[in-house]
């Protein structure tokens, strides 16, 4: 590679096994589709769909689902050179139920341990991480060793160079029992990561885990105080709030669509956020664009394969 990647993401990867029927519990589903999954992976796919050069740092099992992950990444134009296998753990699979417009239970199969939590600090290509225009990491990457130390090592290597995005990504079922029952236990790790990030993105639950407060503007202020330059607080049906350290604020409503499956919307938002940050867009345009990308995926069944192109996002915005 002669040029730095536009985006390197680090975190979850796996296979989504989603029902091809909506409004039906898993016990009654007859047909399923197989899709590339994992939030950090989907963000890389979303940005690649928008023309960005992307790569993922993660690990799979040494199994057929791991082979599928590599095949899918290549088909989406995402570099898979840092996706390696772990012999002792299977590639994770995730099932969901689809009850539009707002009920999408997830069932994670990541036991005895997910390979993407077996990323070791010594395996990282720190030069590539350091030179990427955007580096994206997640809260799940902090939930267990050695992934926690590897994630913090990557952040320290960046030393706030370029744009470093912390996807707050709170999944309590992945953490040790103490953090599951008391999210404040995870706050120390979140605080360490926030000191090295320039952008923080999360919904109200995730912001509360990171900061201890829940009111959107208070969340944004707390994230800025923790060290980031831009705080993005997703408020569900109330839209999204973004506050920059320079005082610029944007609060935009969601784009209304007929929701089919809301699970990939946040990842589409993330990939589009990276696209707009790289383009240097002003804050309100950036939030409107990312919202529209998320809405398009929410109107579709899958996650990775549903990520929109630039023309699709622009068309939706043009329709108002």
């Amino acid at each position: 590679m002669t040029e730095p990647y536009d985006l390197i993401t680090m975190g979850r990867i796996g296979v989504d096994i989603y029902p091809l029927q909506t409004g039906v519990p898993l016990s009654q589903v007859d047909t399923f589709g197989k899709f590339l999954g994992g939030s950090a992976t989907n963000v890389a796919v979303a940005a690649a769909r928008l023309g960005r050069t992307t790569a993922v740092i993660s690990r799979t099992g040494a199994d057929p689902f791991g082979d599928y992950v590599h095949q899918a990444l290549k088909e989406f134009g995402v570099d898979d050179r840092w996706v390696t296998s772990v012999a002792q753990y299977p590639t994770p699979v995730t099932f969901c139920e689809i009850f539009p417009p707002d009920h999408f239970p997830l069932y994670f199969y990541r036991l005895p341990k997910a390979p993407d939590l077996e990323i070791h600090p010594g395996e990282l290509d720190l030069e590539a991480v350091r030179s990427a225009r955007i580096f994206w990491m997640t809260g799940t990457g902090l939930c267990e060793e050695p992934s926690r130390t590897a994630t913090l090592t990557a952040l320290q290597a960046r030393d706030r160079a370029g744009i470093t995005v912390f996807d707050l990504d709170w999944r309590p079922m992945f953490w040790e029992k103490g953090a599951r029952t008391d999210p404040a236990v995870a706050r120390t790790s979140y605080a360490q990561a926030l000191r090295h990030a320039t952008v923080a993105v999360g919904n109200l639950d995730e912001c509360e885990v990171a900061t201890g407060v829940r009111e959107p503007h208070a969340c944004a202020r707390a994230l800025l105080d923790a060290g980031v330059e831009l705080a993005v607080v997703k408020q569900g049906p109330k839209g999204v709030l973004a506050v920059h350290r320079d005082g610029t604020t944007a609060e935009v409503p969601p784009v209304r669509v007929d929701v089919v499956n809301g699970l990939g919307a946040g990842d589409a938002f993330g990939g589009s956020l990276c696209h707009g940050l790289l383009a240097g867009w002003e804050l309100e345009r950036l939030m409107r664009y990312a919202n529209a990308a998320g809405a398009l995926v929410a109107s579709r069944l899958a996650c990775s394969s549903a990520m929109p192109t630039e023309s699709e996002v622009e068309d939706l915005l043009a329709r108002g």
Side-chain angles (χ1 to χ4, degrees):
M1 186 192 72
T2 57
E3 294 292 329
Y5 290 90
D6 289 326
L7 170 67
I8 294 178
T9 68
M10 179 175 177
R12 290 205 311 276
I13 200 166
V15 179
D16 290 340
I17 309 295
Y18 282 4
L20 300 182
Q21 299 152 273
T22 63
V24 178
L26 278 179
S27 60
Q28 298 176 27
V29 173
D30 296 320
T31 55
F32 294 85
K34 180 183 74 198
F35 307 97
L36 180 66
S39 63
T41 303
N42 286 337
V43 169
V45 170
R49 277 279 172 89
L50 297 172
R52 300 298 179 175
T53 57
T54 70
V56 177
I57 301 170
S58 193
R59 305 196 76 179
T60 70
D63 53 30
F65 275 151
D67 296 339
Y68 165 73
V69 163
H70 283 278
Q71 173 189 323
L73 286 170
K74 291 172 182 175
E75 289 174 354
F76 286 126
V78 178
D79 197 323
D80 67 342
R81 70 181 65 192
W82 296 303
V83 179
T84 58
S85 64
V86 179
Q88 64 268 40
Y89 301 127
T91 302
V93 295
T94 302
F95 289 84
C96 77
E97 293 176 306
I98 301 176
F99 295 100
D102 57 5
H103 186 54
F104 308 102
L106 280 168
Y107 303 89
F108 294 99
Y109 291 80
R110 292 170 59 86
L111 296 175
K113 186 178 185 179
D116 54 57
L117 296 177
E118 278 291 297
I119 302 172
H120 291 260
E123 299 167 343
L124 296 173
D125 185 340
L126 293 178
E127 182 179 352
V129 168
R130 193 179 295 114
S131 64
R133 298 176 70 193
I134 297 181
F135 177 67
W136 177 288
M137 46 72 61
T138 75
T140 293
L142 302 172
C143 77
E144 192 171 335
E145 294 291 358
S147 175
R148 181 185 300 124
T149 296
T151 301
L152 293 172
T153 297
L155 289 172
Q156 291 160 4
R158 290 233 358 133
D159 195 24
R160 295 173 62 85
I163 300 167
T164 301
V165 183
F166 182 3
D167 174 5
L168 301 178
D169 181 43
W170 173 242
R171 303 285 182 177
M173 69 288 289
F174 299 161
W175 287 71
E176 297 170 344
K177 187 177 294 184
R180 291 181 206 171
T181 56
D182 181 8
V185 173
R187 199 164 294 143
T188 299
S189 295
Y190 273 61
Q192 287 180 276
L194 284 167
R195 285 196 289 271
H196 298 285
T198 61
V199 180
V201 184
N203 60 33
L204 290 176
D205 290 338
E206 293 164 339
C207 290
E208 185 175 17
V209 170
T211 67
V213 297
R214 188 170 181 86
E215 192 279 325
H217 288 269
C219 288
R221 289 192 298 270
L223 290 168
L224 294 174
D225 289 343
V228 304
E229 299 295 316
L230 174 64
V232 180
V233 182
K234 294 185 281 189
Q235 306 175 78
K238 293 185 178 180
V240 62
L241 167 69
V243 181
H244 195 277
R245 183 175 296 280
D246 66 9
T248 307
T249 299
E251 191 162 10
V252 302
V255 178
R256 302 296 178 185
V257 294
D258 292 329
V259 174
V260 174
N261 182 0
L263 292 175
D267 300 334
F269 182 100
S272 298
L273 173 70
C274 292
H275 178 62
L277 287 169
L278 290 169
W281 291 345
E282 56 88 23
L283 200 55
E284 182 160 341
R285 179 186 180 188
L286 178 58
M287 292 300 106
R288 291 189 182 279
Y289 190 97
N291 260 359
L296 280 168
V297 173
S299 71
R300 299 168 177 175
L301 176 66
C303 292
S304 55
S305 61
M307 296 300 166
T309 63
E310 192 164 12
S311 63
E312 288 175 322
V313 179
E314 295 290 356
D315 287 347
L316 180 59
L317 287 169
R319 294 199 302 269

